[in-house]
C-alpha cells in the first residue's frame, strides 16, 4: 500500500465521492449515451462533477472509467486506453491543488462468467488487465465496484494485484435477500477478497443505507480490513427519476455505521455532492468506533456457502483415484460427469467440504484439476480442498476457484513449505500441514507437535494466520502399528489444546488390512473427535462414519437442540441411511443437478427405447426445470445452478430435435424479447431467453438498444402473443413506456411482461404492462399462463 493511502486510512474516517451517471444526466447526457464517452464530448462537465465532490469533502474521487472495458466500448470508436487515460487526466486536473486522491474506477464487464455465462475467467482477467495497464501510472489507487459475481471480482482483483502496485479497494452489490445477484454471501466475499489482498472491502449500489446494516455487519465478522459503505439514495421514481432517500435521511441512516466501525463512506446511484457534504459534517460529530480484531476464527467458503470450523466438519474423500478403478477410467476418458456424481453423492450424504485429487500419471493433472474445479463449483456450493503435491497444479486450481479453499498439503520439510506456502498466501487459502519431514513420520506425539509448530510459524512468516493452518497428525495403520494410534490421538489433543491449531485426519487409513473396517474406522473417528479432531477426511456415504460426526455434534452440544440431527434422521428410524443417489442417475436428477452430458445420454436412451418426445418434455424435462426454479425462488440454489439446469435441459432438447429431424417440431409459442432503446444491458434478458427456450418456447431475441417501432414490427411479423421488455437504467424507462404505447396503438393482440432492476410493480402498472417480473422465473410463469 502506498504512503498516501496508508496515511489516509490511518484517519478515523475516509470520504469517497457519490453518484456520477445521475450527475451527468443533469448536465444533459442523453438516454443511451455512454458515460465514459462524456470524457470526450463533455470533458468540462466531467471535470465540474469531480470538483463538486472535492468541494463537498471527498478524500478520493473516482475517474469516469467505470465501464471502460473492451466489451462495453465495442460499440464506440474508443479503446480502453483512450478512455482510461482521458478520464484520469480530467480527474487529475480537477484534483490539482488539493490532497484529493484519484482512483481508477472499474465496474463489471456486463457479461456473466462461467458457469452461468459464457465469459471465461481467464478472458475476464485479460479484460481487467487491459484497464489496469492503461491507468496504473496515472491513478493513486484502484476501485473495483458494483460487482455481483465473486468470480468476476476475483478476476479483477488478481489483474490489479499482478499488474500494478497500487492499493485496491473492492465493493460488491447485495440484494435484500442478503446475497448478490449470483448468490454470493457477504461472508464469502469478505473471506475471499481479504485473502486475495484487497486493501479495503465494502458494499455499494443496489440498496439504501438502512437496508445494508445486516450485510455490512456480516462482512465485519469475516474481515479485519477497513469496511466501506456507498449506498444508493434508495430507489428512483420511474416516472420522475427522483430517488426516494433524501440527503438528510441518507446521512442520518449512516450514523449507525459509525457505531459499527465503518471507516470509509460515500454514495452511489442518486447521491449528489449534497449527500457527500452531509456525510462530512456528520463524521465531524460522530467518530467511527474502533473495531476489535476478528480473532482466531477459521472459515473456508465457496461463493455461496461459508463453513465455520467451530465443530467437526466432514471432508469428503471420494474424489480421488487412489484404489478406485472406475475413477481412474473416468479421468482417462475425460468423464467429468462421473466425478460430478461422486461429488453430489457426498453432498447428499452430509459432507461439508470436498477433497479434490485427480493425480494420475497417464493424464495432465494440471489441466484436469482446472476442469474439475470449474465443473464442481458449478454444481455444488461446498468449499473445496485442493489435494496435490505439485505447486503448478495447486496454483492453477486456486486461481480458478471461486472462494477460499484449503490446500492439502505441506509438511515440515523446508523446501516443501517454501514451494507451497507462497501460493497459499497469494490466493488466500487455508493449508493442511502434515506432521512429517525429511526424516519421515516421528513415532512420538511430541515430535509431531514440534513439526506442527514449525509449520505454523513458517506459515505466519508468509502472512498466513494460524487460523488458516490445519494440522494432520497422521493416521497410521493399526494392524501394523497398534501403539501409534495412541500417539496420533495424543498429538491431536496437544495440537488443539496447546498450539491452538485446528486438526485434520485421513481416518480410513486406520483400518487397512483388517476385516469389518467400518467398525474400526467409526470407533477411531469418535475417539479422535473427543481428542479435538476438527476435520475428519472420510467417506460420508458410509452412514456409520457420517453418522458418528452428526451424533458427536449433538453430544458435544454443537448441534443445538439436535436440530440438524433430527432433520437428517428424524424422518425414519435412526439406523436408516439418508437418501444418497448412488444407484441410478435419472433424467430429472441430471437436469436438476445440471449434468448436461448425463441428461443428453439419458434422453437419447429413452428415445431409442421408443419414448414419445413430448412425453419426455412434458413429464420429465419441464417438471425438473420447475423444481429447479422453485429451489431458486427459495434460495436453495442460485443463478449458476439455475443456468446449468437450463443448459442440461437444452442438451435434452438438442437430442430430441436431432431425433425429430425432418418432422414438424412443436413450439409452445413465440415470444419477442428486447432490451429497450438506449439501454445496452442485456444480462437479465439473456437469462430469461435461456429459460424460456428450455421450456419449449421460440424466442425472437431483438438484442439490446432496440428502437420502439422495431419491437412492434417484430411482434406483428411473427404474430406473437407475448413481448418481454427489459431495462436496467432509469433513463430508458421512457422508451419502455413508449414501446408499450406503440404496441397498443398498433392493435396487435399481445401481452407485455417487463423486468429490470429499476422497475417496480407500480411503475409496470402505470405504463400499461401486463406483468412485472422480478426475475427470470416470474417471466416463465407468466409465459405458461399466457401461452400454456
Amino acid at each position: 500500500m502506498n504512503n498516501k493511502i496508508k496515511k489516509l486510512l490511518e484517519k478515523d474516517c475516509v470520504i469517497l465521492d457519490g453518484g456520477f451517471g445521475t450527475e451527468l444526466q443533469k448536465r444533459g447526457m442523453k438516454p443511451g449515451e455512454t458515460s465514459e464517452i462524456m470524457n470526450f464530448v463533455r470533458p468540462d462537465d466531467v471535470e465540474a462533477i469531480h470538483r463538486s465532490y472535492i468541494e463537498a469533502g471527498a478524500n478520493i474521487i473516482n475517474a469516469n472509467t467505470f465501464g471502460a472495458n473492451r466489451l462495453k466500448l465495442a460499440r464506440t470508436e474508443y479503446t480502453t486506453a483512450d478512455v482510461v487515460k482521458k478520464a484520469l487526466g480530467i480527474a487529475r486536473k480537477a484534483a490539482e491543488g488539493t490532497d484529493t486522491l484519484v482512483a481508477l474506477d472499474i465496474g463489471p464487464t456486463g457479461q456473466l462468467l462461467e458457469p452461468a455465462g459464457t465469459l471465461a475467467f481467464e478472458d475476464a482477467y485479460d479484460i481487467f488487465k487491459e484497464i489496469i495497464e492503461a491507468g496504473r501510472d496515472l491513478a493513486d489507487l484502484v476501485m473495483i465496484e458494483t460487482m455481483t459475481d465473486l468470480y468476476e471480482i476475483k478476476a479483477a482483483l488478481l489483474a490489479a494485484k499482478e499488474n500494478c502496485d497500487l492499493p485496491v479497494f473492492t465493493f460488491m452489490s447485495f440484494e435484500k435477500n442478503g446475497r448478490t445477484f449470483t448468490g454470493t454471501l457477504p461472508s464469502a466475499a469478505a473471506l475471499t477478497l481479504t485473502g486475495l489482498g484487497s486493501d479495503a472491502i465494502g458494499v455499494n449500489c443496489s440498496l439504501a443505507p438502512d437496508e445494508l446494516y445486516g450485510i455490512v455487519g456480516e462482512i465485519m465478522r469475516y474481515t479485519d480490513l477497513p469496511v466501506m459503505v456507498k449506498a444508493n439514495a434508495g430507489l428512483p421514481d420511474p416516472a420522475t427519476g427522483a430517488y426516494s432517500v433524501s440527503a438528510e435521511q441518507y446521512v442520518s441512516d449512516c450514523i449507525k455505521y459509525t457505531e459499527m466501525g465503518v471507516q470509509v463512506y460515500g454514495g452511489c446511484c442518486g447521491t449528489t455532492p449534497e449527500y457527500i457534504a452531509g456525510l462530512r459534517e456528520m463524521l465531524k460529530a460522530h467518530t467511527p468506533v474502533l473495531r476489535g480484531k476478528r480473532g482466531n476464527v477459521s472459515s473456508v467458503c465457496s461463493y455461496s456457502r461459508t463453513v465455520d470450523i467451530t465443530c467437526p466438519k466432514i471432508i469428503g474423500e471420494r474424489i480421488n483415484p487412489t484404489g478406485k478403478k472406475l475413477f481412474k477410467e473416468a479421468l482417462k476418458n475425460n468423464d467429468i460427469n462421473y466425478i460430478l456424481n461422486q461429488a453430489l453423492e457426498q453432498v447428499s450424504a452430509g459432507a461439508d467440504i470436498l477433497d479434490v485429487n485427480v493425480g494420475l500419471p497417464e493424464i495432465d493433472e494440471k489441466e484436469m484439476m482446472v476442469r474439475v474445479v470449474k465443473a464442481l463449483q458449478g454444481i455444488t456450493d461446498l468449499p473445496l480442498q485442493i489435494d496435490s503435491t505439485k505447486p503448478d497444479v495447486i496454483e492453477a486450481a486456486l486461481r480458478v476457484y471461486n472462494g477460499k479453499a484449503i490446500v492439502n498439503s505441506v509438511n515440515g520439510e523446508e523446501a516443501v513449505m517454501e514451494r507451497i506456502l507462497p501460493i497459499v498466501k497469494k490466493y488466500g487459502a487455508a493449508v493442511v500441514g502434515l506432521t512429517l519431514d525429511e526424516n519421515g513420520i516421528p513415532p512420538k506425539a511430541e515430535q509431531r507437535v514440534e513439526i506442527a509448530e514449525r509449520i505454523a510459524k513458517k506459515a505466519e512468516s508468509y502472512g498466513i494466520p494460524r487460523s488458516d493452518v490445519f494440522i494432520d497428525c497422521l493416521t497410521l495403520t493399526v494392524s501394523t502399528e497398534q501403539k501409534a494410534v495412541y500417539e496420533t490421538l495424543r498429538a491431536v489433543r496437544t495440537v488443539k489444546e496447546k498450539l491452538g491449531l485446528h486438526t485434520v485426519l485421513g481416518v480410513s487409513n486406520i483400518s487397512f488390512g483388517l476385516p469389518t473396517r467400518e467398525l474400526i474406522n467409526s470407533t477411531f473417528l469418535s475417539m479422535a473427535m473427543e481428542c479435538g479432531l476438527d476435520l475428519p477426511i472420510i467417506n460420508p456415504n458410509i452412514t456409520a462414519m457420517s453418522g458418528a460426526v452428526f451424533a458427536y455434534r449433538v453430544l458435544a452440544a454443537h448441534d443445538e437442540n439436535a436440530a440438524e440431527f433430527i432433520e437428517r434422521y428424524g424422518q425414519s428410524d435412526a439406523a436408516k441411511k439418508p437418501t444418497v443417489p448412488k444407484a441410478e442417475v435419472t433424467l430429472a436428477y441430471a437436469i436438476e443437478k445440471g449434468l448436461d452430458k448425463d441428461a443428453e445420454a439419458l434422453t437419447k436412451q429413452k428415445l431409442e427405447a421408443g419414448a414419445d418426445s413430448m412425453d419426455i418434455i412434458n413429464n420429465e424435462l419441464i417438471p425438473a426445470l420447475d423444481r429447479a426454479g422453485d429451489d431458486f425462488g427459495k434460495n436453495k440454489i442460485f443463478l449458476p445452478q439455475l443456468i446449468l439446469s437450463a443448459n442440461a435441459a437444452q442438451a435434452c432438447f438438442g437430442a430430441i430435435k436431432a431425433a425429430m429431424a425432418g418432422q414438424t417440431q412443436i413450439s409452445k409459442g413465440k415470444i419477442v424479447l428486447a432490451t429497450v432503446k438506449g439501454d445496452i444491458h442485456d444480462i437479465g434478458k439473456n437469462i430469461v431467453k435461456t429459460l424460456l427456450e428450455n421450456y419449449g418456447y421460440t424466442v425472437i431475441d431483438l438484442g439490446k438498444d432496440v428502437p420502439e417501432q422495431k419491437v412492434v414490427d417484430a411482434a406483428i411479423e411473427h404474430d406473437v402473443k407475448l413481448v418481454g421488455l427489459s431495462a436496467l437504467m432509469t433513463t430508458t424507462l421512457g422508451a419502455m413506456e413508449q414501446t408499450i404505447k406503440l404496441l397498443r396503438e398498433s392493435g396487435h393482440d399481445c401481452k407485455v411482461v417487463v423486468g429490470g432492476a429499476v422497475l417496480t410493480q407500480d411503475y409496470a402498472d402505470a405504463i400499461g404492462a401486463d406483468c412485472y417480473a422480478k426475475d427470470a422465473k416470474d417471466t416463465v410463469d407468466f409465459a405458461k399462463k399466457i401461452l400454456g
Side-chain angles (χ1 to χ4, degrees), residues 672 702 707-719 743:
V672 165
L702 303 182
E708 296 90 336
Q709 190 59 47
K710 184 175 179 180
V711 176
V712 177
D713 293 343
I716 295 171
E717 176 187 351
H718 297 282
D719 191 25
L743 275 169

Side-chain angles (χ1 to χ4, degrees), residues 339-351:
I339 299 170
L340 298 185
N341 274 304
Q342 292 292 312
L344 291 170
E345 287 180 10
Q346 294 181 95
V347 172
S348 179

Side-chain angles (χ1 to χ4, degrees), residues 445-456:
E446 291 79 8
Q447 296 166 302
R448 298 187 205 180
V449 172
E450 186 278 326
I451 294 175
E453 179 63 6
R454 191 194 317 160
I455 293 170

Side-chain angles (χ1 to χ4, degrees), residues 577-608:
K577 290 185 178 182
T579 301
V580 180
K582 297 174 68 173
E584 180 184 7
V585 177
T586 65
L587 179 56
Y589 179 82
I591 293 170
E592 289 177 55
K593 299 302 181 183
L595 302 173
D596 56 347
K597 300 296 184 186
D598 285 348
E600 181 180 20
L602 288 165
T603 302
K604 289 179 178 178
Q605 290 175 16
K606 287 177 178 291
L607 291 169
E608 290 168 359

